[in-house]
Amino acid sequence: MKQPARYNTALYMRLSRDDENYGDSVSIETQRTILRQFAADNGLQVYDEYVDDGWSGTNFERPSFRRMMEDVDAGKVNCICTKDLSRFGREHIMTDYYLEFIFPDKGVRYIAVSDNEDTEKGLSDFVPFKNLFNEWLAKDTSRKVKNSLHAKFLAGERIFAYAPLGYKRDPKVKNRLVIDEETRWIIEKIYDLAFHGAGAAKIANILTDERVPTAGWLNYTRYGTFANIYEDAPEEKRYTWTITQVKNILKDETYIGNSVHGRQSNISYKNKKKVRKPREEWLRVENTHERIISKEVFNQVQEQIAQRRRKIKGSPTTQIFAGLLKCADCGWSMSFGSNKTVSRPFSYFTCSSYRQRGPKHSPCSAHYIRYDTLYAYVLSRIQYWAGKAGLGEEELKEQILSSDSKEQKREEKRRAAELNRATKRKGELDRLFARLYEDWASERITEYNFNMLSEKYQREQEELEEKINRIQRELDSEKQTETDISSWISLIRQYEYPTELTADMLNALIEKIIIHEKTVGEDGEKEQEIEIYYRFVGKID
């Protein structure tokens, strides 16, 4: 019997990459043919077609699906047709939620043609089982795909969108790399510079100054990729190297012929969010392709990188300030250096961002300060407060309490407002729970919908409870109570009147030291602000 023409129908089609294994039976064209024929035979007026090609059924954030639901909300669509239930979705909870709650609430008729399911005629009792089976199939397919990829990796194959710089796709063997003779010199140059002692920052600057093309620019010129970055970008963008790009190349075992897989994975077959895996869980397959760099050179570069870090950390002068110094403008740590070109060599600190990128590439400035100047200032401040603590605790408490900064008070106000909003929402959820229970008890909603909504509200309640507790802890920790001050006074008294600084002393008393850029005062003299934030009490100078 012909259906009335009152239905404005959406023909929804979906195909994931895994579905392609089933051939033409689930292709977009096959789905379109079936749905158009069904609509014509049953007098359904087609409003539009919605196609999600390459999207998993476990994900309901598909672009065409969302567009279709927006048309439903706008009153443009009141009937949805799919070839079968699996084309609509493969996540049984959300699929059942749409069929039993969303669509009835919005007055939408749903038809799964091949499954012979129609909400107007009443869904069969087998629908929940069909949806559960469709989800199981998605899970099983995901497992099989992972096993298949693992087998390919062990066989030396690589899955990649773009070949790493210095390589290209093997034109004869699928999923293999061969050396790109046009670009291998870039990799060899980077490793040669590193082997002879250049750091990543220096290498990036050399490549930029010599206008060596980046991997992104080469891919754009060859394949048209990254058009949004390079199409209207200034010419300098093509040759601007970053420290991260250089570091990634220097750490990549691809260049010694190895393939490393499984650095990250999806949370689950339902949640496609990527998470970083521990190094011990990576899959390393050696000698999968021809190497550009010898293992001896690669290992020597890794050793030099590690050795450079150890030398900096082991310096007798930087050790006492390690981890404490921060740039006031960009937040980066301060980098240690020495000037040995003068008759009386001296040490100093500069902003790490400025030092690594240089004046041409860094958005920050030097924030230069001599080591002896910083040492003398910090020692004088600790001596000052140690002297105050020795004279009397009550007077010192009052002085510290009065130095509470306006910035700290604004932060407390912001957190208090956030706490108020979270507490208010938690109260609303309590009332929603009460009404939901009444609706279920009076049979205004089904037990299935009650369980589903209550689970959703419970999750939100748990998240809010955790958020409320976290904010409360932060507010409590930020308050400068007399107990905090007493703890700090007791701590600094242990050092009495110090005559020198030690790492143990600084780490016990100080949280961080902020170094500002030099300015010129009213008298024409250069001035430089140094902010010391002490443990327990913060900035009190």
Side-chain angles (χ1 to χ4, degrees), residues 64-86:
S64 290
F65 182 86
R66 300 311 308 165
R67 182 170 67 87
M68 179 178 70
M69 293 309 300
E70 288 172 2
D71 288 344
V72 168
D73 293 337
K76 300 175 182 178
V77 169
N78 60 358
C79 179
I80 296 173
C81 282
T82 64
K83 175 183 174 292
D84 53 47
L85 286 163
S86 69

mmCIF file of all heavy atoms in Angstrom, residues 64-86:
data_model
loop_
_atom_site.group_PDB
_atom_site.id
_atom_site.type_symbol
_atom_site.label_atom_id
_atom_site.label_comp_id
_atom_site.label_asym_id
_atom_site.label_seq_id
_atom_site.Cartn_x
_atom_site.Cartn_y
_atom_site.Cartn_z
ATOM 1 N N SER A 64 27.671 14.133 7.597
ATOM 2 C CA SER A 64 26.364 14.095 6.927
ATOM 3 C C SER A 64 25.266 13.662 7.889
ATOM 4 O O SER A 64 24.117 14.104 7.771
ATOM 5 C CB SER A 64 26.407 13.152 5.713
ATOM 6 O OG SER A 64 27.203 13.710 4.693
ATOM 7 N N PHE A 65 25.601 12.797 8.848
ATOM 8 C CA PHE A 65 24.622 12.405 9.859
ATOM 9 C C PHE A 65 24.201 13.617 10.687
ATOM 10 O O PHE A 65 23.012 13.824 10.959
ATOM 11 C CB PHE A 65 25.204 11.313 10.766
ATOM 12 C CG PHE A 65 24.251 10.822 11.815
ATOM 13 C CD1 PHE A 65 23.353 9.812 11.527
ATOM 14 C CD2 PHE A 65 24.235 11.378 13.089
ATOM 15 C CE1 PHE A 65 22.458 9.360 12.499
ATOM 16 C CE2 PHE A 65 23.349 10.940 14.053
ATOM 17 C CZ PHE A 65 22.462 9.921 13.754
ATOM 18 N N ARG A 66 25.190 14.437 11.091
ATOM 19 C CA ARG A 66 24.864 15.631 11.868
ATOM 20 C C ARG A 66 24.040 16.620 11.043
ATOM 21 O O ARG A 66 23.108 17.249 11.547
ATOM 22 C CB ARG A 66 26.151 16.325 12.351
ATOM 23 C CG ARG A 66 27.057 15.503 13.248
ATOM 24 C CD ARG A 66 26.336 14.849 14.389
ATOM 25 N NE ARG A 66 25.520 15.790 15.160
ATOM 26 C CZ ARG A 66 24.582 15.431 16.009
ATOM 27 N NH1 ARG A 66 24.312 14.146 16.191
ATOM 28 N NH2 ARG A 66 23.907 16.329 16.671
ATOM 29 N N ARG A 67 24.372 16.737 9.753
ATOM 30 C CA ARG A 67 23.593 17.634 8.881
ATOM 31 C C ARG A 67 22.154 17.138 8.769
ATOM 32 O O ARG A 67 21.199 17.942 8.783
ATOM 33 C CB ARG A 67 24.256 17.699 7.499
ATOM 34 C CG ARG A 67 23.553 18.635 6.515
ATOM 35 C CD ARG A 67 24.390 18.844 5.259
ATOM 36 N NE ARG A 67 24.504 17.634 4.465
ATOM 37 C CZ ARG A 67 23.599 17.275 3.535
ATOM 38 N NH1 ARG A 67 22.535 18.035 3.309
ATOM 39 N NH2 ARG A 67 23.783 16.169 2.839
ATOM 40 N N MET A 68 21.980 15.828 8.667
ATOM 41 C CA MET A 68 20.634 15.258 8.590
ATOM 42 C C MET A 68 19.841 15.540 9.865
ATOM 43 O O MET A 68 18.659 15.931 9.809
ATOM 44 C CB MET A 68 20.727 13.749 8.355
ATOM 45 C CG MET A 68 19.371 13.037 8.293
ATOM 46 S SD MET A 68 19.553 11.275 7.963
ATOM 47 C CE MET A 68 20.279 10.708 9.513
ATOM 48 N N MET A 69 20.489 15.389 11.024
ATOM 49 C CA MET A 69 19.787 15.631 12.282
ATOM 50 C C MET A 69 19.465 17.116 12.460
ATOM 51 O O MET A 69 18.456 17.472 13.083
ATOM 52 C CB MET A 69 20.625 15.121 13.456
ATOM 53 C CG MET A 69 20.786 13.605 13.494
ATOM 54 S SD MET A 69 19.221 12.694 13.366
ATOM 55 C CE MET A 69 18.346 13.312 14.821
ATOM 56 N N GLU A 70 20.304 17.990 11.913
ATOM 57 C CA GLU A 70 19.984 19.423 11.938
ATOM 58 C C GLU A 70 18.741 19.716 11.099
ATOM 59 O O GLU A 70 17.901 20.540 11.487
ATOM 60 C CB GLU A 70 21.176 20.232 11.415
ATOM 61 C CG GLU A 70 22.356 20.275 12.368
ATOM 62 C CD GLU A 70 23.593 20.906 11.742
ATOM 63 O OE1 GLU A 70 23.499 21.348 10.557
ATOM 64 O OE2 GLU A 70 24.652 20.950 12.403
ATOM 65 N N ASP A 71 18.601 19.019 9.956
ATOM 66 C CA ASP A 71 17.400 19.177 9.135
ATOM 67 C C ASP A 71 16.173 18.606 9.832
ATOM 68 O O ASP A 71 15.057 19.116 9.664
ATOM 69 C CB ASP A 71 17.594 18.494 7.767
ATOM 70 C CG ASP A 71 18.564 19.269 6.880
ATOM 71 O OD1 ASP A 71 18.824 20.446 7.187
ATOM 72 O OD2 ASP A 71 19.057 18.692 5.885
ATOM 73 N N VAL A 72 16.372 17.540 10.620
ATOM 74 C CA VAL A 72 15.270 17.002 11.430
ATOM 75 C C VAL A 72 14.822 18.043 12.454
ATOM 76 O O VAL A 72 13.636 18.320 12.617
ATOM 77 C CB VAL A 72 15.693 15.695 12.136
ATOM 78 C CG1 VAL A 72 14.670 15.304 13.206
ATOM 79 C CG2 VAL A 72 15.852 14.571 11.120
ATOM 80 N N ASP A 73 15.780 18.634 13.157
ATOM 81 C CA ASP A 73 15.455 19.650 14.173
ATOM 82 C C ASP A 73 14.771 20.865 13.552
ATOM 83 O O ASP A 73 13.945 21.515 14.201
ATOM 84 C CB ASP A 73 16.737 20.098 14.894
ATOM 85 C CG ASP A 73 17.336 18.984 15.737
ATOM 86 O OD1 ASP A 73 16.582 18.066 16.116
ATOM 87 O OD2 ASP A 73 18.559 19.028 16.000
ATOM 88 N N ALA A 74 15.132 21.179 12.286
ATOM 89 C CA ALA A 74 14.539 22.343 11.608
ATOM 90 C C ALA A 74 13.174 22.024 11.019
ATOM 91 O O ALA A 74 12.532 22.911 10.421
ATOM 92 C CB ALA A 74 15.486 22.834 10.518
ATOM 93 N N GLY A 75 12.702 20.783 11.126
ATOM 94 C CA GLY A 75 11.397 20.402 10.598
ATOM 95 C C GLY A 75 11.395 20.111 9.111
ATOM 96 O O GLY A 75 10.322 19.968 8.509
ATOM 97 N N LYS A 76 12.572 19.992 8.500
ATOM 98 C CA LYS A 76 12.642 19.733 7.058
ATOM 99 C C LYS A 76 12.520 18.242 6.733
ATOM 100 O O LYS A 76 12.156 17.876 5.617
ATOM 101 C CB LYS A 76 13.971 20.255 6.505
ATOM 102 C CG LYS A 76 14.174 21.755 6.690
ATOM 103 C CD LYS A 76 15.571 22.165 6.231
ATOM 104 C CE LYS A 76 15.810 23.652 6.465
ATOM 105 N NZ LYS A 76 17.187 24.060 6.063
ATOM 106 N N VAL A 77 12.857 17.378 7.679
ATOM 107 C CA VAL A 77 12.847 15.932 7.473
ATOM 108 C C VAL A 77 12.049 15.279 8.593
ATOM 109 O O VAL A 77 12.243 15.607 9.765
ATOM 110 C CB VAL A 77 14.292 15.368 7.459
ATOM 111 C CG1 VAL A 77 14.282 13.853 7.526
ATOM 112 C CG2 VAL A 77 15.046 15.844 6.232
ATOM 113 N N ASN A 78 11.127 14.377 8.219
ATOM 114 C CA ASN A 78 10.386 13.627 9.245
ATOM 115 C C ASN A 78 10.363 12.133 8.960
ATOM 116 O O ASN A 78 9.563 11.395 9.519
ATOM 117 C CB ASN A 78 8.959 14.158 9.393
ATOM 118 C CG ASN A 78 8.155 14.046 8.097
ATOM 119 O OD1 ASN A 78 8.670 13.614 7.071
ATOM 120 N ND2 ASN A 78 6.892 14.443 8.148
ATOM 121 N N CYS A 79 11.254 11.689 8.054
ATOM 122 C CA CYS A 79 11.379 10.257 7.768
ATOM 123 C C CYS A 79 12.818 9.989 7.338
ATOM 124 O O CYS A 79 13.384 10.741 6.536
ATOM 125 C CB CYS A 79 10.395 9.851 6.666
ATOM 126 S SG CYS A 79 10.492 8.093 6.223
ATOM 127 N N ILE A 80 13.405 8.914 7.868
ATOM 128 C CA ILE A 80 14.783 8.546 7.539
ATOM 129 C C ILE A 80 14.804 7.106 7.063
ATOM 130 O O ILE A 80 14.260 6.210 7.722
ATOM 131 C CB ILE A 80 15.703 8.708 8.756
ATOM 132 C CG1 ILE A 80 15.781 10.183 9.177
ATOM 133 C CG2 ILE A 80 17.103 8.171 8.456
ATOM 134 C CD1 ILE A 80 16.539 10.415 10.468
ATOM 135 N N CYS A 81 15.445 6.881 5.904
ATOM 136 C CA CYS A 81 15.569 5.538 5.355
ATOM 137 C C CYS A 81 17.036 5.154 5.232
ATOM 138 O O CYS A 81 17.853 5.951 4.745
ATOM 139 C CB CYS A 81 14.938 5.464 3.958
ATOM 140 S SG CYS A 81 13.152 5.352 3.966
ATOM 141 N N THR A 82 17.366 3.946 5.668
ATOM 142 C CA THR A 82 18.696 3.376 5.432
ATOM 143 C C THR A 82 18.519 1.982 4.844
ATOM 144 O O THR A 82 17.452 1.377 4.936
ATOM 145 C CB THR A 82 19.508 3.269 6.737
ATOM 146 O OG1 THR A 82 18.843 2.355 7.627
ATOM 147 C CG2 THR A 82 19.666 4.623 7.401
ATOM 148 N N LYS A 83 19.586 1.478 4.221
ATOM 149 C CA LYS A 83 19.507 0.135 3.645
ATOM 150 C C LYS A 83 19.233 -0.899 4.726
ATOM 151 O O LYS A 83 18.398 -1.794 4.574
ATOM 152 C CB LYS A 83 20.808 -0.200 2.914
ATOM 153 C CG LYS A 83 20.889 -1.625 2.375
ATOM 154 C CD LYS A 83 22.237 -1.885 1.731
ATOM 155 C CE LYS A 83 22.366 -3.358 1.325
ATOM 156 N NZ LYS A 83 22.442 -4.248 2.505
ATOM 157 N N ASP A 84 19.954 -0.792 5.855
ATOM 158 C CA ASP A 84 19.721 -1.683 6.992
ATOM 159 C C ASP A 84 20.146 -0.970 8.267
ATOM 160 O O ASP A 84 20.671 0.154 8.222
ATOM 161 C CB ASP A 84 20.454 -3.020 6.827
ATOM 162 C CG ASP A 84 21.937 -2.845 6.528
ATOM 163 O OD1 ASP A 84 22.576 -2.033 7.241
ATOM 164 O OD2 ASP A 84 22.446 -3.489 5.607
ATOM 165 N N LEU A 85 19.942 -1.612 9.399
ATOM 166 C CA LEU A 85 20.253 -0.988 10.687
ATOM 167 C C LEU A 85 21.742 -0.687 10.834
ATOM 168 O O LEU A 85 22.120 0.320 11.450
ATOM 169 C CB LEU A 85 19.801 -1.903 11.829
ATOM 170 C CG LEU A 85 18.297 -1.969 12.075
ATOM 171 C CD1 LEU A 85 17.946 -3.191 12.913
ATOM 172 C CD2 LEU A 85 17.803 -0.702 12.751
ATOM 173 N N SER A 86 22.608 -1.530 10.261
ATOM 174 C CA SER A 86 24.047 -1.318 10.414
ATOM 175 C C SER A 86 24.511 -0.055 9.703
ATOM 176 O O SER A 86 25.518 0.543 10.076
ATOM 177 C CB SER A 86 24.825 -2.525 9.889
ATOM 178 O OG SER A 86 24.725 -2.617 8.478
#
